[in-house]
Amino acid sequence: MIDQSPNLLSLHDEWMRKALREAETAFEEGEVPIGAVIVHDGQIIASAHNQRETLSDPTAHAEMIAITQAAEHLQDWRLSGCTIYSTLEPCPMCAGAIVQARIPTVVYGATDQKAGACHTLYSITDDPRLNHRCAVLGGVMADDCRGILQAFFQMQRSQGKK
């Protein structure tokens, strides 16, 4: 269970704003604007945004890149004691990686009706059949997180893309 006291909720907003800055960078680069940060001991140890187009890599989601950065920073694949913040509910691939990395806490902004794997379509992060489960808090700054995605796809459609 995630503590939802007012002080902690404002801290979640602070970290989510950092993830939103990453999403803005993705937007500027023509990538789907999703950002992620990983916090350990009150410090950001990883910060990333989607780079699928840039890297021509279907696995280059913000969360995947951030997990790799955090593991490198901690010199350990086990990211216990970390919290991942993502502007969009993680997909099955990212949720699986979060579970495999043993990240105990997931905080996300907007729900993903098409691929959400924490609450919406799947519950990978708290599936009792898996060897690790995560506490999940969704909806943090959801309007801002949803808004940047909507603006991006509206722009893409107006340009005849996607």
Side-chain angles (χ1 to χ4, degrees), residues 61-77:
H61 288 201
E63 300 93 333
M64 299 293 284
I65 295 167
I67 289 168
T68 299
Q69 290 174 358
E72 197 171 301
H73 177 85
L74 294 175
Q75 292 295 295
D76 194 347
W77 64 267

Side-chain angles (χ1 to χ4, degrees), residues 128-142:
R129 297 169 295 181
L130 300 175
N131 64 344
H132 175 75
R133 282 166 287 295
C134 313
V136 177
L137 176 63
V140 173
M141 299 185 67

Side-chain angles (χ1 to χ4, degrees), residues 9-120:
L9 287 177
S10 70
L11 194 55
H12 290 318
D13 286 353
E14 177 184 333
W15 299 126
M16 189 60 74
R17 275 192 285 282
K18 306 279 188 191
L20 269 165
R21 282 195 208 111
E22 285 290 333
E24 290 165 0
T25 299
F27 190 110
E28 292 165 6
E29 294 176 1
E31 297 277 358
V32 174
I34 299 168
V37 298
I38 297 179
V39 176
H40 182 261
D41 290 338
Q43 301 290 322
I44 291 177
I45 62 167
S47 185
H49 57 275
N50 273 8
Q51 295 186 54
R52 291 190 316 169
E53 301 296 332
T54 302
L55 299 176
S56 298
D57 181 353
T59 68
H61 288 201
E63 300 93 333
M64 299 293 284
I65 295 167
I67 289 168
T68 299
Q69 290 174 358
E72 197 171 301
H73 177 85
L74 294 175
Q75 292 295 295
D76 194 347
W77 64 267
R78 291 175 192 88
L79 301 181
S80 53
C82 292
T83 299
I84 187 166
Y85 291 83
S86 179
T87 57
L88 184 66
E89 179 181 3
C91 72
M93 175 182 67
C94 294
I98 289 165
V99 169
Q100 290 299 313
R102 310 297 194 266
I103 298 173
T105 309
V106 178
V107 179
Y108 68 85
T111 58
D112 186 346
Q113 300 299 315
K114 294 182 179 181
C118 293
H119 288 138
T120 306

